Amino acid sequence: MFAARSATAAALKKVATTSTAKAASKAFSSTTASSAKVAVLGATGGIGQPLSMLCKLSPEVDELACYDVVGTPGVAADLSHIPSNSKTSGHLPSQGTWPPRSNDGLGEALTGADVVVIPAGVPRKPGMTRDDLFNTNASIVKTLVEGCAEFCPEAVLAIISNPVNSTVPIAAEVLKKAGVYDKTKLCGVTTLDVCRANTFVAENQGWNPADVDVTVIGGHAGITILPLFSQVPNASFSDEDLEKLTVRTQFGGDEVVKAKAGAGSATLSMAYAGYLFTENVLKALRGEEGIVQCAYVESELTDATYFASPCRFDKNGVAEVLPFGELSAYEQQWFGKMMPDLQKQIQKGEDFVNN
């Protein structure tokens, strides 16, 4: 049994070293003695638990703070038995008091955090779009980001809660109202779109997924997701395959929701993608150079205020929003369809905070 567990651990460690970004294919390394704290908000959910476990296993994480409205002490206790160098804590909201005071549990989780990952919110169910989640998840993200503004205003925020196209603008408006907005510190996590595109291309071309790095631009919902398969070196697709690959990447979440038959959404793959994104950010914060990965950030590349494209990260967060290159005629068609929807979803997030 011990040998089996060791083999599983070794396999997991090997998988964990593979990234969707070229720079992240390097071996794990800590380039500075400074400690790194990651806070996961929504740590007991379907994404939050496996994401927290992967962060606990990462040598880039020195302290892991788990926060949710229920169950986090148990999750943290469970994670604390994993033999890694990071220490783990679990936090719950404070009990109601009079006079009212800040949420001490949230404050404890966030204080000193370098990266805050937010997968909190309700999952999608069959027939639901990401936009259907808006009313519930928008309020959750707003409240949590208000805490970030108060307790860790300089942390990099990685927003997973859907609809990302709207929740990132919500976070930005909250931070602006608090006077602490920094566009280099706020990201929507679109890494799962890259993971899916890499996987589907590798299957289609008979390649190793670790050797594929598809640029995916736009947003993180349906047709706002645009994989640039024309830029994949040495790949050749029929028109039929190109259409199938594009639509499957755009609606990969629906595939999982349907397969789970109402029992959940894409939790495990999203947790893995969130972990990859977080670890790359931590490497950059520690000083590793050449960290490039797609992210949904404030951008001037298009008419959309926020847009996903390759970004270079450094010690301060997003150092540079990189151009996404030339689009094929097929991709231009999708780009034209995408922009009105994306801009509408961005406006909806901004209006939620300001109106």
Side-chain angles (χ1 to χ4, degrees):
M1 182 180 292
F2 179 81
R5 290 178 178 173
S6 297
T8 300
L12 181 56
K13 182 177 181 181
K14 181 178 180 181
V15 169
T17 63
T18 301
S19 169
T20 59
K22 293 178 181 177
S25 62
K26 302 175 183 178
F28 292 141
S29 64
S30 296
T31 58
T32 177
S34 62
S35 61
K37 178 178 177 178
V38 172
V40 177
L41 309 185
T44 66
I47 298 171
Q49 288 201 45
L51 172 60
S52 297
M53 185 185 73
L54 289 168
C55 288
K56 179 68 170 74
L57 290 167
S58 172
E60 298 295 328
V61 179
D62 300 291
E63 182 177 353
L64 175 63
C66 301
Y67 175 86
D68 213 324
V69 293
V70 293
T72 36
V75 169
D78 197 357
L79 291 171
S80 72
H81 294 180
I82 295 173
S84 68
N85 288 329
S86 61
K87 63 178 182 178
T88 309
S89 58
H91 307 269
L92 293 168
S94 303
Q95 297 296 319
T97 62
W98 186 261
R101 68 169 188 264
S102 296
N103 183 338
D104 291 344
L106 182 60
E108 290 169 359
L110 292 175
T111 299
D114 299 288
V115 179
V116 179
V117 193
I118 306 181
V122 298
R124 281 201 298 159
K125 297 180 180 179
M128 292 178 68
T129 66
R130 286 179 173 85
D131 204 47
D132 292 331
L133 304 178
F134 181 87
N135 289 333
T136 299
N137 287 357
S139 297
I140 293 171
V141 170
K142 180 176 180 290
T143 298
L144 294 176
V145 175
E146 286 171 345
C148 295
E150 179 178 358
F151 297 110
C152 57
E154 296 183 358
V156 175
L157 306 189
I159 309 294
I160 292 175
S161 306
N162 278 316
V164 167
N165 292 352
S166 299
T167 54
V168 168
I170 286 171
E173 294 305 304
V174 168
L175 296 169
K176 288 174 185 177
K177 284 182 177 292
V180 296
Y181 177 66
D182 181 347
K183 66 181 182 180
T184 70
K185 306 287 190 182
L186 177 61
C187 306
V189 180
T190 61
T191 311
L192 180 53
D193 302 325
V194 179
C195 287
R196 286 174 173 149
N198 291 348
T199 300
F200 303 156
V201 165
E203 290 175 352
N204 179 269
Q205 298 289 302
W207 294 347
N208 184 338
D211 297 329
V212 185
D213 186 13
V214 180
T215 296
V216 182
I217 65 170
H220 183 59
I223 66 168
T224 70
I225 300 167
L226 180 53
L228 304 184
F229 294 127
S230 68
Q231 298 181 11
V232 179
N234 304 315
S236 178
F237 307 105
S238 68
D239 291 345
E240 182 181 1
D241 282 351
L242 186 59
E243 178 75 9
K244 288 181 178 179
L245 288 168
T246 300
V247 172
R248 191 180 181 198
T249 302
Q250 292 172 330
F251 296 96
D254 292 353
E255 181 179 312
V256 177
V257 170
K258 291 175 183 176
K260 289 190 175 181
S265 57
T267 53
L268 300 176
S269 54
M270 185 64 249
Y272 177 66
Y275 150 74
L276 288 178
F277 182 86
T278 301
E279 185 161 80
N280 283 335
V281 171
L282 289 172
K283 289 179 180 180
L285 293 179
R286 289 187 187 272
E288 184 172 327
E289 298 181 354
I291 300 295
V292 176
Q293 59 184 343
C294 290
Y296 180 68
V297 298
E298 182 179 323
S299 172
E300 298 179 354
L301 295 180
T302 70
D303 292 335
T305 310
Y306 303 91
F307 196 82
S309 71
C311 297
R312 180 174 63 84
F313 288 77
D314 67 6
K315 291 182 178 181
N316 298 309
V318 179
E320 185 179 7
V321 178
L322 300 173
F324 48 80
E326 186 176 351
L327 305 184
S328 68
Y330 175 79
E331 291 158 357
Q332 284 282 6
Q333 292 176 359
W334 278 111
F335 186 87
K337 296 176 184 177
M338 166 215 302
M339 291 302 292
D341 277 10
L342 180 57
Q343 290 171 306
K344 185 186 302 183
Q345 292 164 27
I346 291 169
Q347 189 65 52
K348 185 172 184 177
E350 292 175 340
D351 289 346
F352 178 79
V353 178
N354 296 321
N355 294 339

